[in-house]
Amino acid sequence: VLFYKKKIKVKLALFLIALLITMDLFINGFALNPRLSKIFYEKEPESVKYLKKDSNFYRIIVYLKDTEESFLPEEKYKDAMENAKLTLHSNQNMIYKIYDVSGYDSIYVKRNYDFIKATIVNMPKIRYLALFGVKYIITKQELKSELLELVKDLKIIKIYRNKILLPHCYFMQNIRIIKKEDEYVYLLNNEFNPLKEVIVEGLNKINIKN
């Protein structure tokens, strides 16, 4: 109105419009971006305290349903983040220097992503967890397996220990050579046992002597 009545110049009018838009965005959008202090994240949850008692090298995996992964059903933001810390949602493990076999990345190595998706996401079996060095499973579900031991029940989440964890590095005598297109077919059947054999891809790429 002031510009229309020629009481202010164009540059000042544009500046005031930009200022008004900026103020409007910040005032209305401030509640959409709640913040917590650094101290909140530095305080270790009970799940982390338990995991850190184990000084050996291992990885964890967090098993959540689709809704549990996407939503934190709490009325207050701080309560939701407390549960997220306890559950160690994607990448929060890095704060506490705990190794996670999965996590959230913007760029994936396709071969590794396909392998993880095929073996421990779409078709979770203990033998694959052992292959990935997963010692602890964090979940909100009740898991029943003779190879898993419930070691910590924190009500919101449960921590299971994998009893057949493979060492970080070990020797293997039994070698099976397969073609690339047959890799997942063999990996996903019940014949494959990472405790007894290693798979090598490509018949012409390796020379094995008895």
Side-chain angles (χ1 to χ4, degrees):
V1 174
L2 292 173
F3 173 72
Y4 180 75
K5 292 183 176 180
K6 297 181 180 182
K7 292 187 177 182
I8 60 174
K9 296 182 179 180
V10 176
K11 290 184 178 181
L12 180 58
L14 292 175
F15 171 77
L16 292 174
I17 291 172
L19 180 63
L20 181 63
I21 293 173
T22 302
M23 290 175 61
D24 180 63
L25 289 172
F26 270 89
I27 293 171
N28 290 285
F30 187 78
L32 299 177
N33 295 280
R35 295 171 293 174
L36 294 171
S37 68
K38 180 183 177 182
I39 299 173
F40 173 83
Y41 291 99
E42 290 177 341
K43 184 180 179 182
E44 294 181 351
E46 291 301 315
S47 55
V48 171
K49 290 179 181 179
Y50 177 81
L51 293 172
K52 281 195 170 184
K53 291 179 181 179
D54 191 337
S55 59
N56 298 315
F57 177 83
Y58 62 86
R59 294 186 178 95
I60 67 166
I61 189 168
V62 180
Y63 269 135
L64 297 174
K65 295 180 181 179
D66 292 339
T67 53
E68 293 173 342
E69 178 69 34
S70 305
F71 299 98
L72 300 172
E74 296 292 339
E75 292 184 6
K76 297 181 179 180
Y77 177 73
K78 186 176 180 181
D79 293 339
M81 292 308 298
E82 285 280 8
N83 289 345
K85 278 176 55 183
L86 188 68
T87 310
L88 286 176
H89 273 255
S90 294
N91 296 353
Q92 292 204 43
N93 57 290
M94 293 189 294
I95 302 174
Y96 310 111
K97 298 181 180 180
I98 294 174
Y99 297 99
D100 191 342
V101 73
S102 54
Y104 173 80
D105 296 293
S106 56
I107 300 177
Y108 289 95
V109 177
K110 186 178 185 304
R111 191 70 183 278
N112 187 58
Y113 174 78
D114 289 342
F115 183 69
I116 290 176
K117 187 175 181 181
T119 56
I120 65 174
V121 175
N122 293 341
M123 192 179 180
K125 289 190 176 181
I126 305 304
R127 65 174 184 237
Y128 299 128
L129 296 179
L131 188 62
F132 279 97
V134 174
K135 188 174 183 179
Y136 296 103
I137 303 170
I138 297 176
T139 182
K140 295 183 178 181
Q141 306 170 43
E142 184 176 349
L143 304 180
K144 295 182 179 180
S145 172
E146 294 180 355
L147 300 177
L148 295 178
E149 177 188 2
L150 179 61
V151 292
K152 195 72 174 177
D153 189 346
L154 297 170
K155 295 183 180 180
I156 296 175
I157 58 106
K158 296 177 174 64
I159 301 177
Y160 290 86
R161 182 177 65 86
N162 179 13
K163 296 180 181 179
I164 60 167
L165 179 70
L166 292 172
H168 189 49
C169 181
Y170 58 98
F171 291 99
M172 185 69 67
Q173 291 183 337
N174 299 324
I175 301 173
R176 180 182 291 266
I177 301 174
I178 63 174
K179 297 179 181 179
K180 182 177 180 180
E181 56 269 22
D182 297 330
E183 179 183 8
Y184 291 141
V185 175
Y186 181 70
L187 280 174
L188 299 180
N189 67 35
N190 291 324
E191 293 181 22
F192 173 63
N193 186 345
L195 297 171
K196 296 181 179 181
E197 67 177 339
V198 63
I199 294 175
V200 178
E201 178 191 298
L203 183 61
N204 300 322
K205 296 180 180 179
I206 186 170
N207 182 20
I208 300 176
K209 296 181 180 180
N210 294 328

